[in-house]
PDB file of all heavy atoms in Angstrom:
ATOM      1  N   ARG R   1     -14.528  -6.607  -4.901  1.00  0.00           N
ATOM      2  CA  ARG R   1     -14.291  -5.785  -3.715  1.00  0.00           C
ATOM      3  C   ARG R   1     -12.805  -5.754  -3.376  1.00  0.00           C
ATOM      4  O   ARG R   1     -12.253  -4.739  -2.944  1.00  0.00           O
ATOM      5  CB  ARG R   1     -15.104  -6.323  -2.525  1.00  0.00           C
ATOM      6  CG  ARG R   1     -14.971  -5.510  -1.273  1.00  0.00           C
ATOM      7  CD  ARG R   1     -15.578  -4.131  -1.446  1.00  0.00           C
ATOM      8  NE  ARG R   1     -14.755  -3.158  -0.744  1.00  0.00           N
ATOM      9  CZ  ARG R   1     -14.893  -1.866  -0.835  1.00  0.00           C
ATOM     10  NH1 ARG R   1     -15.811  -1.344  -1.585  1.00  0.00           N
ATOM     11  NH2 ARG R   1     -14.101  -1.065  -0.172  1.00  0.00           N
ATOM     12  N   TRP R   2     -12.149  -6.895  -3.587  1.00  0.00           N
ATOM     13  CA  TRP R   2     -10.716  -6.994  -3.360  1.00  0.00           C
ATOM     14  C   TRP R   2     -10.002  -5.970  -4.234  1.00  0.00           C
ATOM     15  O   TRP R   2      -9.129  -5.230  -3.775  1.00  0.00           O
ATOM     16  CB  TRP R   2     -10.286  -8.423  -3.688  1.00  0.00           C
ATOM     17  CG  TRP R   2      -8.904  -8.835  -3.324  1.00  0.00           C
ATOM     18  CD1 TRP R   2      -7.940  -8.118  -2.695  1.00  0.00           C
ATOM     19  CD2 TRP R   2      -8.313 -10.106  -3.600  1.00  0.00           C
ATOM     20  NE1 TRP R   2      -6.796  -8.864  -2.550  1.00  0.00           N
ATOM     21  CE2 TRP R   2      -7.001 -10.091  -3.101  1.00  0.00           C
ATOM     22  CE3 TRP R   2      -8.772 -11.262  -4.223  1.00  0.00           C
ATOM     23  CZ2 TRP R   2      -6.147 -11.179  -3.213  1.00  0.00           C
ATOM     24  CZ3 TRP R   2      -7.910 -12.334  -4.322  1.00  0.00           C
ATOM     25  CH2 TRP R   2      -6.620 -12.298  -3.820  1.00  0.00           C
ATOM     26  N   ALA R   3     -10.381  -5.897  -5.507  1.00  0.00           N
ATOM     27  CA  ALA R   3      -9.750  -4.956  -6.439  1.00  0.00           C
ATOM     28  C   ALA R   3     -10.023  -3.511  -6.027  1.00  0.00           C
ATOM     29  O   ALA R   3      -9.129  -2.656  -6.111  1.00  0.00           O
ATOM     30  CB  ALA R   3     -10.243  -5.211  -7.864  1.00  0.00           C
ATOM     31  N   VAL R   4     -11.231  -3.220  -5.576  1.00  0.00           N
ATOM     32  CA  VAL R   4     -11.560  -1.868  -5.122  1.00  0.00           C
ATOM     33  C   VAL R   4     -10.666  -1.486  -3.946  1.00  0.00           C
ATOM     34  O   VAL R   4     -10.106  -0.382  -3.907  1.00  0.00           O
ATOM     35  CB  VAL R   4     -13.057  -1.769  -4.739  1.00  0.00           C
ATOM     36  CG1 VAL R   4     -13.364  -0.479  -3.992  1.00  0.00           C
ATOM     37  CG2 VAL R   4     -13.934  -1.887  -5.983  1.00  0.00           C
ATOM     38  N   ASP R   5     -10.505  -2.391  -2.998  1.00  0.00           N
ATOM     39  CA  ASP R   5      -9.660  -2.123  -1.835  1.00  0.00           C
ATOM     40  C   ASP R   5      -8.212  -1.865  -2.236  1.00  0.00           C
ATOM     41  O   ASP R   5      -7.575  -0.931  -1.734  1.00  0.00           O
ATOM     42  CB  ASP R   5      -9.718  -3.286  -0.845  1.00  0.00           C
ATOM     43  CG  ASP R   5     -11.064  -3.410  -0.152  1.00  0.00           C
ATOM     44  OD1 ASP R   5     -11.865  -2.454  -0.184  1.00  0.00           O
ATOM     45  OD2 ASP R   5     -11.330  -4.495   0.413  1.00  0.00           O
ATOM     46  N   VAL R   6      -7.693  -2.679  -3.149  1.00  0.00           N
ATOM     47  CA  VAL R   6      -6.295  -2.506  -3.578  1.00  0.00           C
ATOM     48  C   VAL R   6      -6.143  -1.185  -4.325  1.00  0.00           C
ATOM     49  O   VAL R   6      -5.173  -0.453  -4.122  1.00  0.00           O
ATOM     50  CB  VAL R   6      -5.821  -3.698  -4.439  1.00  0.00           C
ATOM     51  CG1 VAL R   6      -4.416  -3.455  -4.971  1.00  0.00           C
ATOM     52  CG2 VAL R   6      -5.869  -4.991  -3.642  1.00  0.00           C
ATOM     53  N   ARG R   7      -7.107  -0.870  -5.179  1.00  0.00           N
ATOM     54  CA  ARG R   7      -7.063   0.394  -5.930  1.00  0.00           C
ATOM     55  C   ARG R   7      -7.065   1.581  -4.967  1.00  0.00           C
ATOM     56  O   ARG R   7      -6.294   2.535  -5.157  1.00  0.00           O
ATOM     57  CB  ARG R   7      -8.251   0.460  -6.890  1.00  0.00           C
ATOM     58  CG  ARG R   7      -7.978   1.274  -8.127  1.00  0.00           C
ATOM     59  CD  ARG R   7      -9.090   1.169  -9.173  1.00  0.00           C
ATOM     60  NE  ARG R   7      -8.940  -0.037  -9.978  1.00  0.00           N
ATOM     61  CZ  ARG R   7      -9.776  -1.081  -9.954  1.00  0.00           C
ATOM     62  NH1 ARG R   7     -10.833  -1.078  -9.194  1.00  0.00           N
ATOM     63  NH2 ARG R   7      -9.556  -2.134 -10.717  1.00  0.00           N
ATOM     64  N   GLU R   8      -7.912   1.534  -3.940  1.00  0.00           N
ATOM     65  CA  GLU R   8      -7.952   2.616  -2.950  1.00  0.00           C
ATOM     66  C   GLU R   8      -6.631   2.728  -2.204  1.00  0.00           C
ATOM     67  O   GLU R   8      -6.133   3.835  -1.960  1.00  0.00           O
ATOM     68  CB  GLU R   8      -9.099   2.393  -1.965  1.00  0.00           C
ATOM     69  CG  GLU R   8     -10.470   2.630  -2.564  1.00  0.00           C
ATOM     70  CD  GLU R   8     -11.615   2.248  -1.631  1.00  0.00           C
ATOM     71  OE1 GLU R   8     -11.354   1.760  -0.491  1.00  0.00           O
ATOM     72  OE2 GLU R   8     -12.774   2.429  -2.041  1.00  0.00           O
ATOM     73  N   HIS R   9      -6.040   1.606  -1.849  1.00  0.00           N
ATOM     74  CA  HIS R   9      -4.750   1.625  -1.151  1.00  0.00           C
ATOM     75  C   HIS R   9      -3.664   2.177  -2.069  1.00  0.00           C
ATOM     76  O   HIS R   9      -2.805   2.956  -1.622  1.00  0.00           O
ATOM     77  CB  HIS R   9      -4.396   0.225  -0.666  1.00  0.00           C
ATOM     78  CG  HIS R   9      -3.339   0.229   0.383  1.00  0.00           C
ATOM     79  ND1 HIS R   9      -2.579  -0.857   0.684  1.00  0.00           N
ATOM     80  CD2 HIS R   9      -2.892   1.203   1.221  1.00  0.00           C
ATOM     81  CE1 HIS R   9      -1.712  -0.551   1.628  1.00  0.00           C
ATOM     82  NE2 HIS R   9      -1.887   0.688   1.974  1.00  0.00           N
ATOM     83  N   LEU R  10      -3.713   1.812  -3.330  1.00  0.00           N
ATOM     84  CA  LEU R  10      -2.741   2.324  -4.293  1.00  0.00           C
ATOM     85  C   LEU R  10      -2.863   3.846  -4.417  1.00  0.00           C
ATOM     86  O   LEU R  10      -1.846   4.550  -4.455  1.00  0.00           O
ATOM     87  CB  LEU R  10      -2.934   1.644  -5.649  1.00  0.00           C
ATOM     88  CG  LEU R  10      -1.952   2.017  -6.753  1.00  0.00           C
ATOM     89  CD1 LEU R  10      -0.516   1.712  -6.339  1.00  0.00           C
ATOM     90  CD2 LEU R  10      -2.301   1.277  -8.037  1.00  0.00           C
ATOM     91  N   GLU R  11      -4.089   4.357  -4.455  1.00  0.00           N
ATOM     92  CA  GLU R  11      -4.293   5.807  -4.524  1.00  0.00           C
ATOM     93  C   GLU R  11      -3.711   6.502  -3.299  1.00  0.00           C
ATOM     94  O   GLU R  11      -3.079   7.556  -3.418  1.00  0.00           O
ATOM     95  CB  GLU R  11      -5.784   6.123  -4.658  1.00  0.00           C
ATOM     96  CG  GLU R  11      -6.360   5.772  -6.014  1.00  0.00           C
ATOM     97  CD  GLU R  11      -7.875   5.915  -6.085  1.00  0.00           C
ATOM     98  OE1 GLU R  11      -8.481   6.476  -5.127  1.00  0.00           O
ATOM     99  OE2 GLU R  11      -8.456   5.457  -7.083  1.00  0.00           O
ATOM    100  N   THR R  12      -3.899   5.916  -2.138  1.00  0.00           N
ATOM    101  CA  THR R  12      -3.342   6.481  -0.907  1.00  0.00           C
ATOM    102  C   THR R  12      -1.820   6.495  -0.969  1.00  0.00           C
ATOM    103  O   THR R  12      -1.180   7.485  -0.594  1.00  0.00           O
ATOM    104  CB  THR R  12      -3.819   5.673   0.316  1.00  0.00           C
ATOM    105  OG1 THR R  12      -5.247   5.713   0.364  1.00  0.00           O
ATOM    106  CG2 THR R  12      -3.248   6.234   1.612  1.00  0.00           C
ATOM    107  N   LEU R  13      -1.248   5.413  -1.453  1.00  0.00           N
ATOM    108  CA  LEU R  13       0.216   5.352  -1.568  1.00  0.00           C
ATOM    109  C   LEU R  13       0.727   6.336  -2.617  1.00  0.00           C
ATOM    110  O   LEU R  13       1.815   6.892  -2.451  1.00  0.00           O
ATOM    111  CB  LEU R  13       0.665   3.933  -1.909  1.00  0.00           C
ATOM    112  CG  LEU R  13       0.500   2.909  -0.796  1.00  0.00           C
ATOM    113  CD1 LEU R  13       0.874   1.519  -1.295  1.00  0.00           C
ATOM    114  CD2 LEU R  13       1.318   3.293   0.422  1.00  0.00           C
ATOM    115  N   GLU R  14      -0.040   6.557  -3.668  1.00  0.00           N
ATOM    116  CA  GLU R  14       0.348   7.545  -4.687  1.00  0.00           C
ATOM    117  C   GLU R  14       0.464   8.933  -4.055  1.00  0.00           C
ATOM    118  O   GLU R  14       1.355   9.702  -4.411  1.00  0.00           O
ATOM    119  CB  GLU R  14      -0.663   7.573  -5.839  1.00  0.00           C
ATOM    120  CG  GLU R  14      -0.569   6.405  -6.794  1.00  0.00           C
ATOM    121  CD  GLU R  14       0.653   6.434  -7.688  1.00  0.00           C
ATOM    122  OE1 GLU R  14       1.356   7.471  -7.773  1.00  0.00           O
ATOM    123  OE2 GLU R  14       0.923   5.391  -8.307  1.00  0.00           O
ATOM    124  N   GLU R  15      -0.446   9.239  -3.132  1.00  0.00           N
ATOM    125  CA  GLU R  15      -0.381  10.518  -2.428  1.00  0.00           C
ATOM    126  C   GLU R  15       0.914  10.632  -1.627  1.00  0.00           C
ATOM    127  O   GLU R  15       1.462  11.715  -1.486  1.00  0.00           O
ATOM    128  CB  GLU R  15      -1.589  10.690  -1.516  1.00  0.00           C
ATOM    129  CG  GLU R  15      -2.897  10.844  -2.266  1.00  0.00           C
ATOM    130  CD  GLU R  15      -4.106  10.850  -1.349  1.00  0.00           C
ATOM    131  OE1 GLU R  15      -3.943  10.968  -0.111  1.00  0.00           O
ATOM    132  OE2 GLU R  15      -5.227  10.728  -1.875  1.00  0.00           O
ATOM    133  N   ALA R  16       1.389   9.521  -1.106  1.00  0.00           N
ATOM    134  CA  ALA R  16       2.625   9.516  -0.321  1.00  0.00           C
ATOM    135  C   ALA R  16       3.860   9.650  -1.203  1.00  0.00           C
ATOM    136  O   ALA R  16       4.952   9.924  -0.688  1.00  0.00           O
ATOM    137  CB  ALA R  16       2.718   8.238   0.512  1.00  0.00           C
ATOM    138  N   ARG R  17       3.710   9.483  -2.498  1.00  0.00           N
ATOM    139  CA  ARG R  17       4.859   9.566  -3.414  1.00  0.00           C
ATOM    140  C   ARG R  17       5.555  10.920  -3.295  1.00  0.00           C
ATOM    141  O   ARG R  17       6.780  10.998  -3.329  1.00  0.00           O
ATOM    142  CB  ARG R  17       4.408   9.317  -4.850  1.00  0.00           C
ATOM    143  CG  ARG R  17       5.542   9.407  -5.837  1.00  0.00           C
ATOM    144  CD  ARG R  17       5.085   9.083  -7.235  1.00  0.00           C
ATOM    145  NE  ARG R  17       5.440   7.698  -7.483  1.00  0.00           N
ATOM    146  CZ  ARG R  17       4.773   6.882  -8.280  1.00  0.00           C
ATOM    147  NH1 ARG R  17       3.699   7.282  -8.887  1.00  0.00           N
ATOM    148  NH2 ARG R  17       5.178   5.650  -8.447  1.00  0.00           N
ATOM    149  N   GLU R  18       4.792  11.989  -3.146  1.00  0.00           N
ATOM    150  CA  GLU R  18       5.381  13.324  -3.028  1.00  0.00           C
ATOM    151  C   GLU R  18       5.907  13.613  -1.623  1.00  0.00           C
ATOM    152  O   GLU R  18       6.670  14.540  -1.437  1.00  0.00           O
ATOM    153  CB  GLU R  18       4.363  14.391  -3.438  1.00  0.00           C
ATOM    154  CG  GLU R  18       4.070  14.392  -4.929  1.00  0.00           C
ATOM    155  CD  GLU R  18       5.323  14.570  -5.787  1.00  0.00           C
ATOM    156  OE1 GLU R  18       6.155  15.461  -5.481  1.00  0.00           O
ATOM    157  OE2 GLU R  18       5.487  13.802  -6.748  1.00  0.00           O
ATOM    158  N   LYS R  19       5.464  12.817  -0.649  1.00  0.00           N
ATOM    159  CA  LYS R  19       5.911  13.012   0.734  1.00  0.00           C
ATOM    160  C   LYS R  19       6.188  11.644   1.363  1.00  0.00           C
ATOM    161  O   LYS R  19       5.540  11.254   2.328  1.00  0.00           O
ATOM    162  CB  LYS R  19       4.841  13.751   1.541  1.00  0.00           C
ATOM    163  CG  LYS R  19       4.604  15.159   1.062  1.00  0.00           C
ATOM    164  CD  LYS R  19       3.601  15.852   1.931  1.00  0.00           C
ATOM    165  CE  LYS R  19       3.400  17.266   1.419  1.00  0.00           C
ATOM    166  NZ  LYS R  19       2.546  18.040   2.311  1.00  0.00           N
ATOM    167  N   PRO R  20       7.157  10.921   0.823  1.00  0.00           N
ATOM    168  CA  PRO R  20       7.406   9.571   1.342  1.00  0.00           C
ATOM    169  C   PRO R  20       7.824   9.564   2.803  1.00  0.00           C
ATOM    170  O   PRO R  20       7.650   8.562   3.488  1.00  0.00           O
ATOM    171  CB  PRO R  20       8.516   9.034   0.445  1.00  0.00           C
ATOM    172  CG  PRO R  20       9.185  10.244  -0.110  1.00  0.00           C
ATOM    173  CD  PRO R  20       8.115  11.292  -0.216  1.00  0.00           C
ATOM    174  N   HIS R  21       8.335  10.679   3.289  1.00  0.00           N
ATOM    175  CA  HIS R  21       8.781  10.741   4.684  1.00  0.00           C
ATOM    176  C   HIS R  21       7.635  10.644   5.682  1.00  0.00           C
ATOM    177  O   HIS R  21       7.873  10.549   6.876  1.00  0.00           O
ATOM    178  CB  HIS R  21       9.580  12.021   4.922  1.00  0.00           C
ATOM    179  CG  HIS R  21       8.797  13.263   4.673  1.00  0.00           C
ATOM    180  ND1 HIS R  21       8.702  13.820   3.416  1.00  0.00           N
ATOM    181  CD2 HIS R  21       8.044  14.039   5.497  1.00  0.00           C
ATOM    182  CE1 HIS R  21       7.938  14.895   3.492  1.00  0.00           C
ATOM    183  NE2 HIS R  21       7.520  15.041   4.745  1.00  0.00           N
ATOM    184  N   VAL R  22       6.386  10.652   5.204  1.00  0.00           N
ATOM    185  CA  VAL R  22       5.275  10.463   6.148  1.00  0.00           C
ATOM    186  C   VAL R  22       5.144   8.994   6.548  1.00  0.00           C
ATOM    187  O   VAL R  22       4.417   8.674   7.486  1.00  0.00           O
ATOM    188  CB  VAL R  22       3.924  10.979   5.581  1.00  0.00           C
ATOM    189  CG1 VAL R  22       4.000  12.460   5.268  1.00  0.00           C
ATOM    190  CG2 VAL R  22       3.480  10.179   4.378  1.00  0.00           C
ATOM    191  N   LEU R  23       5.858   8.124   5.863  1.00  0.00           N
ATOM    192  CA  LEU R  23       5.839   6.691   6.180  1.00  0.00           C
ATOM    193  C   LEU R  23       7.119   6.293   6.896  1.00  0.00           C
ATOM    194  O   LEU R  23       8.200   6.809   6.602  1.00  0.00           O
ATOM    195  CB  LEU R  23       5.716   5.858   4.899  1.00  0.00           C
ATOM    196  CG  LEU R  23       4.454   6.068   4.074  1.00  0.00           C
ATOM    197  CD1 LEU R  23       4.565   5.332   2.751  1.00  0.00           C
ATOM    198  CD2 LEU R  23       3.235   5.601   4.848  1.00  0.00           C
ATOM    199  N   ALA R  24       6.989   5.367   7.818  1.00  0.00           N
ATOM    200  CA  ALA R  24       8.159   4.807   8.503  1.00  0.00           C
ATOM    201  C   ALA R  24       8.556   3.516   7.801  1.00  0.00           C
ATOM    202  O   ALA R  24       7.765   2.934   7.042  1.00  0.00           O
ATOM    203  CB  ALA R  24       7.826   4.527   9.968  1.00  0.00           C
ATOM    204  N   ASP R  25       9.768   3.066   8.063  1.00  0.00           N
ATOM    205  CA  ASP R  25      10.226   1.787   7.492  1.00  0.00           C
ATOM    206  C   ASP R  25       9.237   0.672   7.808  1.00  0.00           C
ATOM    207  O   ASP R  25       8.930  -0.153   6.953  1.00  0.00           O
ATOM    208  CB  ASP R  25      11.603   1.403   8.048  1.00  0.00           C
ATOM    209  CG  ASP R  25      12.738   2.232   7.462  1.00  0.00           C
ATOM    210  OD1 ASP R  25      12.518   2.947   6.462  1.00  0.00           O
ATOM    211  OD2 ASP R  25      13.858   2.150   8.014  1.00  0.00           O
ATOM    212  N   ALA R  26       8.720   0.654   9.031  1.00  0.00           N
ATOM    213  CA  ALA R  26       7.789  -0.398   9.445  1.00  0.00           C
ATOM    214  C   ALA R  26       6.513  -0.368   8.604  1.00  0.00           C
ATOM    215  O   ALA R  26       5.953  -1.422   8.277  1.00  0.00           O
ATOM    216  CB  ALA R  26       7.446  -0.260  10.924  1.00  0.00           C
ATOM    217  N   ASP R  27       6.049   0.831   8.237  1.00  0.00           N
ATOM    218  CA  ASP R  27       4.850   0.949   7.396  1.00  0.00           C
ATOM    219  C   ASP R  27       5.089   0.315   6.028  1.00  0.00           C
ATOM    220  O   ASP R  27       4.271  -0.459   5.531  1.00  0.00           O
ATOM    221  CB  ASP R  27       4.467   2.420   7.188  1.00  0.00           C
ATOM    222  CG  ASP R  27       4.127   3.143   8.474  1.00  0.00           C
ATOM    223  OD1 ASP R  27       3.543   2.514   9.378  1.00  0.00           O
ATOM    224  OD2 ASP R  27       4.462   4.341   8.572  1.00  0.00           O
ATOM    225  N   VAL R  28       6.220   0.653   5.439  1.00  0.00           N
ATOM    226  CA  VAL R  28       6.535   0.146   4.108  1.00  0.00           C
ATOM    227  C   VAL R  28       6.765  -1.368   4.157  1.00  0.00           C
ATOM    228  O   VAL R  28       6.303  -2.098   3.278  1.00  0.00           O
ATOM    229  CB  VAL R  28       7.755   0.880   3.505  1.00  0.00           C
ATOM    230  CG1 VAL R  28       8.168   0.264   2.174  1.00  0.00           C
ATOM    231  CG2 VAL R  28       7.434   2.368   3.327  1.00  0.00           C
ATOM    232  N   GLU R  29       7.429  -1.840   5.192  1.00  0.00           N
ATOM    233  CA  GLU R  29       7.653  -3.284   5.315  1.00  0.00           C
ATOM    234  C   GLU R  29       6.334  -4.036   5.472  1.00  0.00           C
ATOM    235  O   GLU R  29       6.153  -5.119   4.915  1.00  0.00           O
ATOM    236  CB  GLU R  29       8.597  -3.597   6.487  1.00  0.00           C
ATOM    237  CG  GLU R  29      10.037  -3.233   6.203  1.00  0.00           C
ATOM    238  CD  GLU R  29      10.575  -3.855   4.922  1.00  0.00           C
ATOM    239  OE1 GLU R  29      10.354  -5.061   4.686  1.00  0.00           O
ATOM    240  OE2 GLU R  29      11.199  -3.125   4.132  1.00  0.00           O
ATOM    241  N   ARG R  30       5.400  -3.450   6.226  1.00  0.00           N
ATOM    242  CA  ARG R  30       4.086  -4.080   6.392  1.00  0.00           C
ATOM    243  C   ARG R  30       3.347  -4.139   5.057  1.00  0.00           C
ATOM    244  O   ARG R  30       2.757  -5.154   4.703  1.00  0.00           O
ATOM    245  CB  ARG R  30       3.253  -3.329   7.428  1.00  0.00           C
ATOM    246  CG  ARG R  30       1.911  -3.986   7.718  1.00  0.00           C
ATOM    247  CD  ARG R  30       1.153  -3.299   8.853  1.00  0.00           C
ATOM    248  NE  ARG R  30       1.210  -1.856   8.839  1.00  0.00           N
ATOM    249  CZ  ARG R  30       0.412  -1.069   8.109  1.00  0.00           C
ATOM    250  NH1 ARG R  30      -0.504  -1.590   7.357  1.00  0.00           N
ATOM    251  NH2 ARG R  30       0.531   0.241   8.164  1.00  0.00           N
ATOM    252  N   ILE R  31       3.405  -3.058   4.291  1.00  0.00           N
ATOM    253  CA  ILE R  31       2.781  -3.028   2.963  1.00  0.00           C
ATOM    254  C   ILE R  31       3.383  -4.123   2.085  1.00  0.00           C
ATOM    255  O   ILE R  31       2.656  -4.879   1.428  1.00  0.00           O
ATOM    256  CB  ILE R  31       2.958  -1.645   2.307  1.00  0.00           C
ATOM    257  CG1 ILE R  31       2.134  -0.605   3.059  1.00  0.00           C
ATOM    258  CG2 ILE R  31       2.585  -1.686   0.826  1.00  0.00           C
ATOM    259  CD1 ILE R  31       2.511   0.833   2.740  1.00  0.00           C
ATOM    260  N   LYS R  32       4.700  -4.218   2.092  1.00  0.00           N
ATOM    261  CA  LYS R  32       5.369  -5.236   1.279  1.00  0.00           C
ATOM    262  C   LYS R  32       4.973  -6.642   1.716  1.00  0.00           C
ATOM    263  O   LYS R  32       4.719  -7.514   0.882  1.00  0.00           O
ATOM    264  CB  LYS R  32       6.892  -5.077   1.359  1.00  0.00           C
ATOM    265  CG  LYS R  32       7.416  -3.881   0.609  1.00  0.00           C
ATOM    266  CD  LYS R  32       8.940  -3.838   0.750  1.00  0.00           C
ATOM    267  CE  LYS R  32       9.551  -2.672   0.049  1.00  0.00           C
ATOM    268  NZ  LYS R  32      11.019  -2.697   0.143  1.00  0.00           N
ATOM    269  N   ARG R  33       4.907  -6.853   3.021  1.00  0.00           N
ATOM    270  CA  ARG R  33       4.542  -8.179   3.535  1.00  0.00           C
ATOM    271  C   ARG R  33       3.113  -8.543   3.132  1.00  0.00           C
ATOM    272  O   ARG R  33       2.848  -9.626   2.623  1.00  0.00           O
ATOM    273  CB  ARG R  33       4.709  -8.228   5.053  1.00  0.00           C
ATOM    274  CG  ARG R  33       4.391  -9.597   5.648  1.00  0.00           C
ATOM    275  CD  ARG R  33       4.586  -9.696   7.164  1.00  0.00           C
ATOM    276  NE  ARG R  33       4.464  -8.559   7.985  1.00  0.00           N
ATOM    277  CZ  ARG R  33       3.349  -7.863   8.342  1.00  0.00           C
ATOM    278  NH1 ARG R  33       2.333  -8.153   7.990  1.00  0.00           N
ATOM    279  NH2 ARG R  33       3.313  -6.837   9.099  1.00  0.00           N
ATOM    280  N   VAL R  34       2.187  -7.611   3.340  1.00  0.00           N
ATOM    281  CA  VAL R  34       0.781  -7.869   3.025  1.00  0.00           C
ATOM    282  C   VAL R  34       0.592  -8.145   1.538  1.00  0.00           C
ATOM    283  O   VAL R  34      -0.087  -9.103   1.149  1.00  0.00           O
ATOM    284  CB  VAL R  34      -0.107  -6.683   3.483  1.00  0.00           C
ATOM    285  CG1 VAL R  34      -1.499  -6.754   2.880  1.00  0.00           C
ATOM    286  CG2 VAL R  34      -0.171  -6.628   4.997  1.00  0.00           C
ATOM    287  N   TYR R  35       1.209  -7.343   0.690  1.00  0.00           N
ATOM    288  CA  TYR R  35       0.996  -7.503  -0.750  1.00  0.00           C
ATOM    289  C   TYR R  35       1.811  -8.653  -1.339  1.00  0.00           C
ATOM    290  O   TYR R  35       1.435  -9.202  -2.366  1.00  0.00           O
ATOM    291  CB  TYR R  35       1.196  -6.172  -1.481  1.00  0.00           C
ATOM    292  CG  TYR R  35      -0.029  -5.313  -1.285  1.00  0.00           C
ATOM    293  CD1 TYR R  35      -0.136  -4.445  -0.197  1.00  0.00           C
ATOM    294  CD2 TYR R  35      -1.114  -5.432  -2.133  1.00  0.00           C
ATOM    295  CE1 TYR R  35      -1.284  -3.708   0.013  1.00  0.00           C
ATOM    296  CE2 TYR R  35      -2.268  -4.695  -1.936  1.00  0.00           C
ATOM    297  CZ  TYR R  35      -2.350  -3.835  -0.862  1.00  0.00           C
ATOM    298  OH  TYR R  35      -3.501  -3.120  -0.649  1.00  0.00           O
ATOM    299  N   THR R  36       2.879  -9.044  -0.690  1.00  0.00           N
ATOM    300  CA  THR R  36       3.589 -10.258  -1.096  1.00  0.00           C
ATOM    301  C   THR R  36       2.736 -11.478  -0.755  1.00  0.00           C
ATOM    302  O   THR R  36       2.606 -12.403  -1.571  1.00  0.00           O
ATOM    303  CB  THR R  36       4.968 -10.329  -0.427  1.00  0.00           C
ATOM    304  OG1 THR R  36       5.740  -9.191  -0.852  1.00  0.00           O
ATOM    305  CG2 THR R  36       5.700 -11.605  -0.798  1.00  0.00           C
ATOM    306  N   GLU R  37       2.121 -11.456   0.437  1.00  0.00           N
ATOM    307  CA  GLU R  37       1.199 -12.544   0.790  1.00  0.00           C
ATOM    308  C   GLU R  37       0.011 -12.564  -0.160  1.00  0.00           C
ATOM    309  O   GLU R  37      -0.453 -13.630  -0.573  1.00  0.00           O
ATOM    310  CB  GLU R  37       0.720 -12.382   2.240  1.00  0.00           C
ATOM    311  CG  GLU R  37       1.777 -12.683   3.269  1.00  0.00           C
ATOM    312  CD  GLU R  37       1.330 -12.376   4.702  1.00  0.00           C
ATOM    313  OE1 GLU R  37       0.133 -12.094   4.931  1.00  0.00           O
ATOM    314  OE2 GLU R  37       2.198 -12.423   5.594  1.00  0.00           O
ATOM    315  N   GLN R  38      -0.484 -11.383  -0.514  1.00  0.00           N
ATOM    316  CA  GLN R  38      -1.610 -11.305  -1.438  1.00  0.00           C
ATOM    317  C   GLN R  38      -1.227 -11.895  -2.794  1.00  0.00           C
ATOM    318  O   GLN R  38      -2.042 -12.572  -3.420  1.00  0.00           O
ATOM    319  CB  GLN R  38      -2.063  -9.858  -1.617  1.00  0.00           C
ATOM    320  CG  GLN R  38      -3.289  -9.736  -2.498  1.00  0.00           C
ATOM    321  CD  GLN R  38      -3.657  -8.294  -2.739  1.00  0.00           C
ATOM    322  OE1 GLN R  38      -3.117  -7.674  -3.653  1.00  0.00           O
ATOM    323  NE2 GLN R  38      -4.571  -7.774  -1.936  1.00  0.00           N
ATOM    324  N   ALA R  39      -0.008 -11.659  -3.234  1.00  0.00           N
ATOM    325  CA  ALA R  39       0.445 -12.241  -4.500  1.00  0.00           C
ATOM    326  C   ALA R  39       0.386 -13.765  -4.422  1.00  0.00           C
ATOM    327  O   ALA R  39       0.020 -14.432  -5.393  1.00  0.00           O
ATOM    328  CB  ALA R  39       1.863 -11.767  -4.831  1.00  0.00           C
ATOM    329  N   GLY R  40       0.725 -14.318  -3.265  1.00  0.00           N
ATOM    330  CA  GLY R  40       0.612 -15.764  -3.069  1.00  0.00           C
ATOM    331  C   GLY R  40      -0.835 -16.228  -3.130  1.00  0.00           C
ATOM    332  O   GLY R  40      -1.146 -17.267  -3.726  1.00  0.00           O
ATOM    333  N   ASP R  41      -1.741 -15.442  -2.538  1.00  0.00           N
ATOM    334  CA  ASP R  41      -3.164 -15.775  -2.608  1.00  0.00           C
ATOM    335  C   ASP R  41      -3.664 -15.716  -4.052  1.00  0.00           C
ATOM    336  O   ASP R  41      -4.448 -16.565  -4.486  1.00  0.00           O
ATOM    337  CB  ASP R  41      -3.982 -14.823  -1.740  1.00  0.00           C
ATOM    338  CG  ASP R  41      -3.702 -14.983  -0.256  1.00  0.00           C
ATOM    339  OD1 ASP R  41      -3.173 -16.051   0.140  1.00  0.00           O
ATOM    340  OD2 ASP R  41      -4.008 -14.048   0.505  1.00  0.00           O
TER     341      ASP R  41
END
């Protein structure tokens, strides 16, 4: 289930690749923080 969730989030972020301006710095920093913590897990 963890992998399914990450895959879905990755797909959502892929959609933002063509329109990165829909994200704020805080959004990207939160993503980095969460997935850096996940790497530790």
Side-chain angles (χ1 to χ4, degrees):
R1 182 66 218 171
W2 190 2
V4 168
D5 291 344
V6 175
R7 209 172 278 112
E8 288 173 359
H9 197 200
L10 183 59
E11 288 172 10
T12 301
L13 290 175
E14 285 288 347
E15 292 173 12
R17 179 177 261 150
E18 290 303 314
K19 295 183 180 186
H21 61 274
V22 300
L23 298 172
D25 286 348
D27 298 325
V28 175
E29 287 306 314
R30 184 174 41 83
I31 292 165
K32 288 181 181 183
R33 182 178 27 72
V34 166
Y35 282 89
T36 299
E37 288 174 10
Q38 184 184 85
D41 293 341

